[in-house]
Amino acid sequence: MPVCLPSNRCSSSSSPTWMEELVDEIVAHAEDKVLEQDIAHWREDLRQRLAQVQQHPEQGLGFIEEHIRQATLRLQCLLVQKAMQDKANQAEEKCPDCGRPLGAKKRRVVRWVDAYCGPVKLARTHGWCPHCEHWVFPADRLLGLRPDSTASPLVQEMCALLVSKMPAEQAEALALRVTGRRLSRSTLAREAQRQGDQALGVRQQLVEAPVVAPTAQASAGRDQASEPFTLVIQIDAWNIRERDHWGRTKQQRRKDPKFDRWHWVYTATCFRLSHRCKKGRFKNKLRPIITERSYVATRGGLDALRQQIYYEARVRGLAQAERVLVLADGAVWIWNLVEDRFKKADQRLDLWHANAYLWAVANELHGKGSKEARQWVKPLLKQVRNDQVAQVITRLEELQPHLAKAAAKAASEAIEYYQDNQKRMKYKEGRQRHEPVGSGAIESTCRQLQCRLKRCGQFWSTRGDEALLCLEMFWRNDRWEMLFPHAKLTALTNN
Ligand SMILES: [Zn+2]
């Protein structure tokens, strides 16, 4: 089976004779005549391949597996082609959009489909819908084929999944080894973009629709639906470099002095406190994990974040939660958003950020990494941990007039930060309630996303990064099957 599709994939540009022959061949497949011969041919090919392995003592199970995989790809292509054609033949000659009969039909037209096992051919009719005023192939819709792409739904999914996890160059090499066939990096990138664009539309519909009550949501945990619970929300942001208006930075800056290549990716997570536990093989090395959680990451600005995190929180049971706790650093936009959307939530400043301000003073006073700095900061950190931030502020205020310039600056920044966030610094209370005192869960998510989207030399278009982030969120939020319904089958078979 050739691995590359013929360049002349679109039937409209092919000669009628070529087309008719092809149609006959495909119809013969559908009627099983050729298929039986093909199966016999495949069996012989496989027999020869396996005989070859027997003759080579150095070829182990890996060779057997690889031969069977390669030989079976061809058979799979034949089976896919036949089943696809059978399905296409059943397509009603009606407009899939309005259901009216199609006019001006209907020469059989061939298209190549890039299936996971290789290229396959499909013959189907098309017609004109006078109501919708478009030419349409009902069979293509029935099969889930896009008019603008040759990729089959499984290839569409593979591209989306691979490129949302790694750059297309890596995905190309990986796809070859994992699937046994070549998907070019341009196909991978193009198809992932298409799927990402589609995912953006699905997400928009989702966040605008009413939320299903958590009792009906398996992911929310049926067993806990009626018990009181705390909902934890963590919010953070990181930036990404974009290449829109590439090479025209100066012109753009003249138009808009605030023009910047770096843009914020707003990120959030939300989970029930009871879904946070510690796991590990050794008692003294337990790692906190969250068994069920929702994610948001968007390049679409604060309004998009607000809408999406509000949606995810409702899915996790915002309306039923006994207590809602938001954890984040001191960024003003975060707390404005919380006041707006989660007014009744308790707010907590991430302890690590709180500590960092004291460390900055200590380092200026005694030198970075010095024993004296550690000694100076230790009792103050303890006071912060024990909700005595007022004392810390007083101490810094007393100290400030006697400090050198840099240390005084660090001290005044710390005072301002603590004054702004004092009501959010209840760490003792947090520990007593067995709640997180830091926003580590969201920070580790940010780091993971940065590993994919913030590599050296990477630039993104606004459209490109948002589409990939959207795919990644569908994957993480366990909604992949909304985009690729066939994925359910794998889940079912492996359960
Ligand atoms: Zn129509």
Side-chain angles (χ1 to χ4, degrees):
M1 181 55 60
V3 284
C4 297
L5 287 175
S7 58
N8 191 5
R9 290 179 196 183
C10 176
S11 54
S12 54
S13 58
S14 26
S15 75
T17 333
W18 183 83
M19 169 90 79
E20 279 157 24
E21 281 169 11
L22 201 54
V23 170
D24 288 345
E25 188 197 322
I26 295 167
V27 173
H29 265 296
E31 287 167 0
D32 276 2
K33 285 175 198 159
V34 184
L35 193 62
E36 278 170 29
Q37 289 170 27
D38 283 321
I39 290 174
H41 183 266
W42 162 74
R43 201 177 282 138
E44 179 53 26
D45 175 43
L46 188 62
R47 195 193 60 74
Q48 284 177 17
R49 284 171 178 268
L50 296 181
Q52 200 186 325
V53 178
Q54 300 300 343
Q55 287 159 15
H56 289 269
E58 79 285 2
Q59 293 186 359
L61 179 59
F63 280 81
I64 295 174
E65 286 179 302
E66 195 67 54
H67 272 305
I68 290 180
R69 175 163 83 162
Q70 290 299 330
T72 318
L73 273 179
R74 174 165 161 69
L75 184 68
Q76 287 180 31
C77 270
L78 295 167
L79 293 171
V80 166
Q81 183 162 302
K82 173 174 163 30
M84 174 177 70
Q85 190 60 55
D86 285 348
K87 181 95 182 176
N89 294 346
Q90 287 172 24
E92 284 191 88
E93 286 169 7
K94 281 183 187 168
C95 171
D97 293 320
C98 69
R100 290 181 172 85
L102 293 175
K105 307 181 279 244
K106 52 191 166 177
R107 199 160 56 90
R108 280 213 165 199
V109 181
V110 175
R111 81 176 275 186
W112 284 91
V113 177
D114 196 12
Y116 78 97
C117 47
V120 288
K121 289 167 287 187
L122 172 70
R124 75 283 194 243
T125 50
H126 68 153
W128 171 258
C129 175
H131 180 74
C132 304
E133 299 191 328
H134 63 183
W135 285 97
V136 63
F137 289 91
D140 289 11
R141 293 282 190 93
L142 193 65
L143 290 163
L145 298 171
R146 296 174 60 117
D148 57 350
S149 163
T150 56
S152 74
L154 202 51
V155 170
Q156 293 169 12
E157 185 201 353
M158 286 194 298
C159 295
L161 183 57
L162 286 165
V163 178
S164 63
K165 305 282 177 208
M166 67 190 77
E169 297 77 27
Q170 278 178 26
E172 183 181 2
L174 195 91
L176 182 62
R177 276 313 299 142
V178 173
T179 68
R181 59 165 307 224
R182 184 172 300 284
L183 286 168
S184 75
R185 65 189 69 179
S186 57
T187 300
L188 281 154
R190 201 172 47 235
E191 206 47 56
Q193 177 75 53
R194 284 198 186 107
Q195 298 309 315
D197 286 344
Q198 197 159 323
L200 289 171
V202 178
R203 182 176 74 188
Q204 203 50 39
Q205 284 174 7
L206 203 64
V207 297
E208 283 169 4
V211 168
V212 182
T215 41
Q217 291 262 330
S219 65
R222 272 176 293 248
D223 51 320
Q224 286 146 4
S226 53
E227 288 173 21
F229 64 90
T230 297
L231 190 72
V232 180
I233 299 171
Q234 301 191 4
I235 305 172
D236 202 359
W238 49 283
N239 52 25
I240 195 167
R241 195 163 50 155
E242 287 175 355
R243 59 159 187 228
D244 290 351
H245 311 289
W246 191 234
R248 290 188 287 136
T249 309
K250 272 187 188 165
Q251 289 96 312
Q252 287 300 321
R253 286 238 164 92
R254 242 175 271 141
K255 269 194 241 164
D256 173 12
K258 287 183 183 163
F259 177 81
D260 197 353
R261 297 223 164 274
W262 291 93
H263 297 279
W264 290 108
V265 177
Y266 296 116
T267 316
T269 188
C270 119
F271 53 90
R272 294 186 182 201
L273 191 60
S274 53
H275 287 153
R276 182 172 167 268
C277 56
K278 287 192 170 175
K279 277 203 172 161
R281 283 173 66 191
F282 305 103
K283 242 185 171 178
N284 56 346
K285 282 186 184 170
L286 294 181
R287 275 161 43 90
I289 61 156
I290 300 157
T291 52
E292 289 177 35
R293 61 190 281 200
S294 302
Y295 299 86
V296 172
T298 180
R299 179 40 207 100
L302 280 174
D303 288 341
L305 169 72
R306 189 183 295 114
Q307 193 181 32
Q308 289 172 39
I309 187 59
Y310 187 53
Y311 172 79
E312 298 299 347
R314 281 181 297 156
V315 169
R316 292 271 163 213
L318 177 68
Q320 293 77 25
E322 186 189 39
R323 174 175 152 84
V324 180
L325 171 70
V326 183
L327 281 130
D329 64 31
V332 175
W333 62 264
I334 294 180
W335 301 113
N336 287 344
L337 184 149
V338 172
E339 292 288 346
D340 177 30
R341 265 289 162 236
F342 306 102
K343 212 167 178 51
K344 289 180 182 163
D346 287 300
Q347 305 179 359
R348 182 168 300 145
L349 180 77
D350 171 56
L351 179 61
W352 188 90
H353 278 86
N355 288 347
Y357 278 81
L358 273 180
W359 274 108
V361 182
N363 291 340
E364 288 298 344
L365 270 175
H366 298 289
K368 201 174 177 182
S370 68
K371 196 178 154 196
E372 291 78 9
R374 277 200 301 279
Q375 277 172 345
W376 181 86
V377 82
K378 210 174 160 186
L380 292 163
L381 292 176
K382 195 175 170 190
Q383 282 184 312
V384 168
R385 242 186 356 260
N386 288 318
D387 303 356
Q388 296 163 341
V389 68
Q391 282 100 308
V392 176
I393 293 173
T394 312
R395 173 81 203 282
L396 289 170
E397 280 171 341
E398 285 165 3
L399 203 65
Q400 203 188 12
H402 312 288
L403 298 176
K405 200 178 168 189
K409 186 169 170 277
S412 96
E413 282 169 359
I415 292 165
E416 198 186 330
Y417 195 73
Y418 294 155
Q419 280 170 342
D420 289 346
N421 290 292
Q422 202 166 349
K423 66 168 185 177
R424 305 185 181 111
M425 297 173 74
K426 302 272 186 278
Y427 303 113
K428 195 173 168 184
E429 181 193 299
R431 284 198 304 279
Q432 282 161 354
R433 289 174 181 267
H434 303 286
E435 290 172 352
V437 292
S439 51
I442 192 60
E443 278 159 32
S444 75
T445 305
C446 290
R447 275 195 297 278
Q448 289 161 21
L449 295 174
Q450 287 175 39
C451 282
R452 169 65 189 96
L453 289 152
K454 217 170 160 179
R455 295 181 188 216
C456 186
Q458 262 185 348
F459 286 85
W460 294 92
S461 65
T462 313
R463 187 175 153 234
D465 54 24
E466 185 68 355
L468 280 197
L469 283 167
C470 186
L471 285 174
E472 178 66 17
M473 293 307 113
F474 268 87
W475 179 261
R476 285 176 178 247
N477 287 328
D478 225 0
R479 298 195 186 110
W480 194 248
E481 289 162 13
M482 289 181 76
L483 303 177
F484 306 102
H486 54 255
K488 278 184 208 144
L489 278 178
T490 318
L492 284 173
T493 326
N494 286 281
N495 267 343

